[in-house]
Amino acid sequence: MKNVTMISRRSFLKAAMAASAVSALAFTGCGGSASSTVAASSTASSAAASAAAEGGQTFKVGIVNYVDHASLNQIVESVESRLDELGAEKGVTFDYADYYANAQADQSNLNQIGADLVGDGVDVIVAVATPTAATMLAAVEDTDIPVVYSAVTDPAAAGFDGEENITGTSDALNTEAIMNLITAVNPDIDTIGLLYDLSQDASTQAIADAKAFCDANGIKYIEKNGTTTAEVQMAAEALIASGVKAVFTPTDNTVMTAELSIYETFTEAGVQHYTGADSFALNGAFVGYGVDYVQLGEATADMVAEILCDSKTTADLPYQTFDNGIVTINTETCEALGLDLDTVKEAFKPYCTEIVEVTTAENFS
């Protein structure tokens, strides 16, 4: 893949291994479609990768991240870690380090990344988030390169369900459960804020479900939107000014990117921020609920290995959904809001299977 400095974090390592040396390796291990030769300009992704390749096959795995933020980074790290484990188990190499790119939420970047990966002849593309998956699917249209997505909230609405050459994992949110968390702590609440990016497909169904919940329970809602961190900050301030005491955000990439910039604003105003992923809470939000993104990434990597090593097709692997029912409470934020942690946990118990306590961290794995 071409070196696009703005979007790639790939390690460009020593070019000590010529393509002829790589192609001469005896291929053992799992079968399936793989790259048996490497262009002369290619380099090994790492010393460990080249050593592993001596015992088996090497697969080119493109990994495309939509934007740099905690939730999606967590998925990428989990995919990579699991691929390393599976490679060791199966005696093969999954070369992802040479084929990773981050689009930084820019569609033109996504288009270029897709074209580059197809040009590189990757064996599979892992697409993180809905816009990424849609663009990668378009990029591989005239090829047999499969796309395995991760963190696509509504695959059917995105048009992926039943589409050839694509499958993956969904982080669909149980919106009713998280709305129940809000009313469990605030039984007399009369208005809930909804903070999201209108352009984020991942938010569409969850926001519709949140509105339906409010309507059914006689609760008013106030919507505020933003497409950039600055706009999200202004939207958060507008919700505070409107007097809401609780705000709901689904698995929205834009708000997740802004969470470190807004959580203190909410906390200082006494506003509880309930969100659709544990990573929001790790970045300061009061509560995160839903899918374990480490588990999501591992399941995504497992699907990649099944396609490359077990001769499975995307048609053989229906997309997976998860209902972890895990509540993540930021204990620092809970205290700053003047809430008693034990009381909150007791109120949450009927609506989840597990409660996890965290503190704020800018980066985590």
Side-chain angles (χ1 to χ4, degrees), residues 53-344:
E54 291 178 4
Q57 214 159 4
T58 297
F59 296 95
K60 298 178 183 180
V61 180
I63 300 179
V64 187
N65 197 357
Y66 177 63
V67 69
D68 186 34
H69 75 52
S71 295
L72 303 188
N73 293 349
Q74 197 174 26
I75 293 169
V76 169
E77 291 166 6
S78 180
V79 169
E80 293 175 346
S81 176
R82 180 61 177 159
L83 286 177
D84 288 343
E85 292 177 6
L86 291 169
E89 290 174 10
K90 296 175 180 293
V92 301
T93 299
F94 296 106
D95 179 7
Y96 54 78
D98 283 329
Y99 305 101
Y100 172 90
N102 187 321
Q104 297 300 349
D106 186 302
Q107 185 60 46
S108 62
N109 286 345
L110 280 175
N111 294 337
Q112 184 62 56
I113 291 165
D116 286 349
L117 289 175
V118 170
D120 287 338
V122 295
D123 297 299
V124 65
I125 297 176
V126 176
V128 183
T130 304
T132 309
T135 305
M136 295 307 113
L137 182 60
V140 303
E141 183 176 3
D142 297 322
T143 77
D144 59 359
I145 301 171
V147 174
V148 180
Y149 56 75
S150 193
V152 169
T153 301
D154 192 341
F160 303 150
D161 191 18
E163 185 75 26
E164 293 183 0
N165 222 28
I166 188 168
T167 189
T169 56
S170 170
D171 61 347
L173 180 65
N174 183 340
T175 305
E176 182 176 359
I178 197 168
M179 299 302 283
N180 280 327
L181 298 180
I182 297 176
T183 57
V185 174
N186 307 277
D188 299 324
I189 195 165
D190 59 4
T191 307
I192 293 175
L194 305 177
L195 176 63
Y196 62 104
D197 180 352
L198 282 166
S199 68
Q200 287 286 313
D201 291 339
S203 295
T204 303
Q205 187 59 53
I207 292 297
D209 292 343
K211 291 177 180 179
F213 179 94
C214 289
D215 290 339
N217 290 274
I219 300 171
K220 298 176 183 178
Y221 55 82
I222 298 174
E223 299 176 74
K224 296 297 177 183
N225 314 110
T227 59
T228 66
T229 295
E231 289 178 358
V232 170
Q233 177 71 48
M234 289 188 290
E237 292 169 355
L239 286 172
I240 291 169
S242 71
V244 301
K245 291 303 179 185
V247 171
F248 166 64
T249 293
T251 51
D252 188 295
N253 290 315
T254 302
V255 180
M256 179 64 243
T257 303
E259 189 62 42
L260 283 167
S261 300
I262 64 173
Y263 84 91
E264 289 179 320
T265 302
F266 276 145
T267 303
E268 290 170 3
V271 174
Q272 303 161 20
H273 195 192
Y274 294 79
T275 63
D278 63 343
S279 41
F280 282 90
L282 284 157
N283 273 184
F286 171 45
V287 168
Y289 176 89
V291 170
D292 179 336
Y293 279 110
V294 173
Q295 180 186 6
L296 194 78
E298 290 173 347
T300 306
D302 287 343
M303 296 178 89
V304 169
E306 286 185 84
I307 290 170
L308 297 179
C309 299
D310 299 333
S311 299
K312 295 288 183 69
T313 69
T314 55
D316 297 325
L317 302 171
Y319 76 82
Q320 299 182 42
T321 59
F322 303 81
D323 185 16
N324 301 115
I326 299 173
V327 170
T328 304
I329 303 173
N330 186 308
T331 55
E332 294 171 332
T333 301
C334 183
E335 182 180 1
L337 288 167
L339 299 172
D340 178 73
L341 179 61
D342 290 336
T343 301
V344 169

Side-chain angles (χ1 to χ4, degrees), residues 17-62:
M17 295 188 64
S20 57
V22 177
S23 61
L25 297 174
F27 290 142
T28 60
C30 60
S33 173
S35 301
S36 59
T37 60
V38 181
S41 61
S42 297
T43 61
S45 62
S46 66
S50 62
E54 291 178 4
Q57 214 159 4
T58 297
F59 296 95
K60 298 178 183 180
V61 180

